[in-house]
Amino acid sequence: MTRVTPPTIVVKRPLSYQEVWGRVGIYAFLGMLALFFFLPAYVMLVTSFKGMDEIRLGHIFTLPQQFSVDAWVKAWTSACTGLDCTGLRVGFWNSVKIVVPSMTLSILLGAINGYALSFWKVKGANVLFACLLLGSFIPYQVFIYPLVRVYAQAGIYGSLPAIVLTHIIFGMPVMTLLFRNYYSGLPVELFKAARVDGAGFWKIFFAIILPMSAPITIVAVIMQVTAIWNDFLLGLVFAGRDNLPMTVQLNNIVNTTTGERAYNVNMAATMLTSLVPLTVYLVSGRWFVRGIASGAVKG
Amino acid sequence: MGAHFTRHVKRNLVAYIALLPMAAVVIFAYLGTLAWSVRLSFSSSRLLPKNDFVGLSQYVDLFDTPRWLTSLGNLVIIAFFFLLICFILGCLLAIFIDQNVRAESLFRTVFLYPYAMSFVVAGLIWQWILNPDLGIQQTMRGLGFSGFVLDWVVNPKMVLYAIILATVWHGSGLVMALLLAGLRGIDSEIWKATRIDGIPTWRVYLSIILPMLRPMIITSLVLLSISIIKMYDVVVAMTNGGPGTASEVPAKFIMDNLFERANIGLATAASTVMLITVMFIMAPVLYFQYFRKSGSSS
């Protein structure tokens, strides 16, 4: 977006010699860093369209001589993890199966928590909330082993419910914070008027609060889709062999293959895995930044 | 108080019920598991949890384990350079983008997209680019620079810098995005005033603007610190701790001891050390940023 130059006072005059070089410097700096940031994506993309013969020559920056989508097809349908050659699509659908319920339930719970915390008087709720926020700073490694034991006792260890529940647990601090902050900015008179009219907890939530939550829900969806899709550790530990998410399968494909590594397939697989969060990022634009800023436990 | 409290609960009963899931998560999934984890660190548990009490001997063992000491040292080096570079780079990017540049949204998009990708992806990409046989080294040699060496991922002395490179690439956009949002909130009167006083621009940024952005700076540094302490995926994807143990990190040490080496006592001792470290870093930040400002927010 080009920003319009500030109006009024600004007097049009030719830039001085110094100012011109200043502008050149700014663009040179930004341009060089943009290249550095973009480079990996570029290398991945061109490599994924090359054949192995071409890759062995070792020119990672050149465009493919013989453009081919074989690597993408192979990555999706027949890349191997160990002896299992079913491709990355298995992981993709596993991730979808994990993301959809985890995201829906954690957003719903976050909204309910945020609503109860901002509008209702519940003794001890703020202490609970403070504990929850503190919990979000603690490394997962502290919680993982006891959770594994509890899940094993309950007979759900290594299953879809286990990984969904885990994402709900670890998503709760941020989701609750997000909705609590948003709801405390809503006019409290609205809530009071509904109370006077005799509306109860759920009535007010579904009829008044939820319809006003669209903007923050979009932010929550963006955050949860990217966070859960990009998760590796929790999926590895809790999902079980049959539900391994795409990130875990990607790492298995790339790092456990024997013999010569099919770099083009690996690169295509890496691109495929980032496709969902990248699309979310490119489509959501400023909303994504808003998510980062408001999801941060901040001052 | 009794009757009064009962009436209060009755009026808000549904709200109490609605918060039960949160209460359950806090009490069982956070506090309960945390207490259990700490408890296990005082036992002699190996493959299965035991209920005995061996005092601090797991902690003594832990700090006698070279792999753990290497992990800790690595984390300190990585965290230091990661935070420093991300901060400086993020600041510079935000300030340069704030100079009314053309194609601003293109620049912002390019600098932040790595943050949207998973650490696994970041690790794999850079492993590939830094791979001496096929990556940049080979390309440069192909161009005639036959002595060119860029072997960070396979060189025990340099492997940490390879990880720093990948994590900086992943994280510095975050600092840029948060600071840029802050810069846009700066009152233009300040700029006018400093211009009239003839203060050079770099001076204004350094002594006036950056101090005003302190909340954003702290937020971004806290977010980055947490991500670097939790760092696991990027190392697994990029080097798997190697070559040898040159790029081991604490989070990976714990996972290996929990699930591969069947040494639960040692792993939970290590995770307790991590917990204490995080609390030490977070306590002052949380106090100043959150609790003091909001006061009794009920």
Side-chain angles (χ1 to χ4, degrees):
Chain A
M1 308 275 156
T2 47
R3 281 210 304 173
V4 186
T5 41
T8 63
I9 333 171
V10 178
V11 181
K12 284 265 159 113
R13 59 177 169 77
L15 291 172
S16 74
Y17 186 70
Q18 227 183 355
E19 281 167 321
V20 170
W21 281 108
R23 299 309 284 177
V24 170
I26 288 171
Y27 285 109
F29 175 82
L30 287 176
M32 267 164 52
L33 279 162
L35 267 183
F36 164 74
F37 275 82
F38 183 67
L39 181 93
Y42 169 79
V43 169
M44 269 205 305
L45 202 61
V46 292
T47 309
S48 69
F49 290 116
K50 289 177 184 172
M52 271 315 285
D53 293 335
E54 214 180 317
I55 290 172
R56 276 188 220 102
L57 298 174
H59 300 296
I60 57 170
F61 300 118
T62 52
L63 289 168
Q65 305 290 305
Q66 280 173 321
F67 187 88
S68 143
V69 291
D70 292 355
W72 287 72
V73 176
K74 192 165 178 232
W76 181 251
T77 58
S78 62
C80 300
T81 40
L83 294 172
D84 208 9
C85 293
T86 45
L88 204 52
R89 60 188 164 169
V90 182
F92 175 86
W93 289 113
N94 285 342
S95 278
V96 171
K97 275 188 274 178
I98 294 170
V99 166
V100 172
S102 310
M103 177 195 76
T104 317
L105 289 171
S106 65
I107 290 177
L108 191 66
L109 277 171
I112 294 171
N113 290 345
Y115 162 65
L117 284 168
S118 354
F119 290 114
W120 293 80
K121 292 199 167 54
V122 175
K123 293 219 156 80
N126 278 318
V127 177
L128 276 182
F129 180 55
C131 290
L132 195 65
L133 282 186
L134 272 181
S136 70
F137 290 110
I138 298 169
Y140 292 149
Q141 279 78 6
V142 176
F143 309 112
I144 280 181
Y145 184 71
L147 278 181
V148 168
R149 300 293 301 177
V150 172
Y151 288 167
Q153 285 289 312
I156 58 167
Y157 177 55
S159 70
L160 200 57
I163 180 67
V164 170
L165 184 59
T166 313
H167 280 303
I168 292 173
I169 290 172
F170 291 121
M172 192 177 271
V174 174
M175 288 297 110
T176 304
L177 178 78
L178 201 64
F179 281 95
R180 194 197 81 130
N181 286 354
Y182 179 73
Y183 289 151
S184 40
L186 293 181
V188 74
E189 287 73 25
L190 222 71
F191 171 77
K192 282 187 178 147
R195 278 293 269 168
V196 171
D197 288 348
F201 185 90
W202 297 114
K203 181 86 195 280
I204 298 176
F205 180 64
F206 285 112
I208 299 172
I209 302 295
L210 215 50
M212 297 174 76
S213 309
I216 201 66
T217 309
I218 296 174
V219 173
V221 168
I222 293 167
M223 291 177 72
Q224 286 299 81
V225 169
T226 26
I228 299 171
W229 194 275
N230 286 339
D231 159 69
F232 175 81
L233 178 67
L234 299 177
L236 178 71
V237 175
F238 293 104
R241 291 181 66 92
D242 297 334
N243 306 300
L244 288 179
M246 205 172 184
T247 47
V248 178
Q249 209 197 353
L250 170 70
N251 188 53
N252 289 346
I253 286 176
V254 174
N255 280 329
T256 61
T257 38
T258 45
E260 191 191 38
R261 284 184 169 192
Y263 284 102
N264 48 359
V265 177
N266 292 351
M267 290 300 115
T270 313
M271 293 292 287
L272 282 168
T273 309
S274 353
L275 227 47
V276 168
L278 264 186
T279 311
V280 169
Y281 169 68
L282 291 175
V283 171
S284 65
R286 282 175 190 274
W287 291 85
F288 185 86
V289 178
R290 207 178 142 188
I292 299 174
S294 52
V297 181
K298 51 145 194 271
Chain B
M1 138 105 196
H4 183 74
F5 184 67
T6 322
R7 206 169 59 237
H8 161 82
V9 172
K10 253 186 200 154
R11 268 177 62 87
N12 299 288
L13 184 63
V14 189
Y16 276 87
I17 295 172
L19 282 178
L20 279 181
M22 183 173 112
V25 165
V26 170
I27 293 167
F28 297 111
Y30 284 93
L31 297 176
T33 53
L34 190 147
W36 192 355
S37 234
V38 175
R39 165 70 190 90
L40 283 173
S41 71
F42 296 110
S43 73
S44 64
S45 310
R46 302 255 338 158
L47 179 62
L48 289 170
K50 279 191 208 155
N51 271 325
D52 59 348
F53 185 80
V54 295
L56 288 174
S57 75
Q58 295 286 8
Y59 291 86
V60 174
D61 282 358
L62 182 67
F63 283 92
D64 268 343
T65 310
R67 221 164 87 105
W68 169 252
L69 297 173
T70 312
S71 308
L72 273 188
N74 289 348
L75 182 62
V76 171
I77 294 173
I78 294 173
F80 175 78
F81 285 107
F82 170 72
L83 291 175
L84 187 75
I85 301 173
C86 274
F87 176 69
I88 294 174
L89 201 59
C91 275
L92 288 176
L93 287 174
I95 290 172
F96 275 76
I97 288 180
D98 199 37
Q99 309 301 314
N100 273 320
V101 294
R102 279 163 207 273
E104 180 198 318
S105 77
L106 179 73
F107 280 124
R108 272 193 289 119
T109 307
V110 170
F111 295 138
L112 190 58
Y113 86 94
Y115 192 74
M117 311 227 260
S118 86
F119 270 122
V120 177
V121 168
L124 292 177
I125 300 176
W126 283 101
Q127 179 203 54
W128 156 247
I129 294 179
L130 297 175
N131 176 327
D133 295 330
L134 293 155
I136 290 180
Q137 175 177 312
Q138 188 64 22
T139 305
M140 293 303 278
R141 288 186 181 178
L143 290 174
F145 303 93
S146 56
F148 187 86
V149 176
L150 187 68
D151 59 350
W152 289 6
V153 278
V154 292
N155 181 343
K157 286 204 180 88
M158 295 306 288
V159 68
L160 291 185
Y161 299 99
I163 291 171
I164 292 167
L165 182 64
T167 48
V168 163
W169 175 78
H170 186 266
S172 46
L174 173 84
V175 182
M176 177 219 60
L178 288 176
L179 290 192
L180 197 55
L183 284 173
R184 293 289 148 83
I186 297 271
D187 193 347
S188 57
E189 292 299 318
I190 291 173
W191 279 111
K192 279 185 199 151
T194 55
R195 224 157 265 154
I196 291 167
D197 288 348
I199 307 169
T201 314
W202 64 270
R203 219 32 242 275
V204 180
Y205 273 112
L206 209 60
S207 353
I208 300 172
I209 305 294
L210 283 184
M212 287 176 75
L213 297 182
R214 206 174 61 186
M216 285 84 182
I217 293 174
I218 293 180
T219 301
S220 52
L221 288 183
V222 166
L223 284 178
L224 293 178
S225 314
I226 294 169
S227 75
I228 212 71
I229 292 173
K230 286 178 174 171
M231 180 177 57
Y232 172 74
D233 347 18
V234 68
V235 174
V236 170
M238 202 166 174
T239 63
N240 207 14
T245 58
S247 61
E248 289 287 345
V249 285
K252 184 168 173 295
F253 177 91
I254 296 170
M255 295 300 290
D256 290 351
N257 276 289
L258 277 181
F259 296 103
E260 276 159 35
R261 294 162 172 246
N263 202 339
I264 289 159
L266 196 69
T268 48
S271 71
T272 307
V273 172
M274 270 176 95
L275 171 70
I276 294 168
T277 316
V278 171
M279 286 297 146
F280 255 103
I281 298 172
M282 288 312 306
V285 178
L286 275 185
Y287 179 74
F288 284 111
Q289 288 278 297
Y290 188 74
F291 291 106
R292 212 171 72 159
K293 203 176 290 173
S294 60
S296 54
S297 63
S298 61

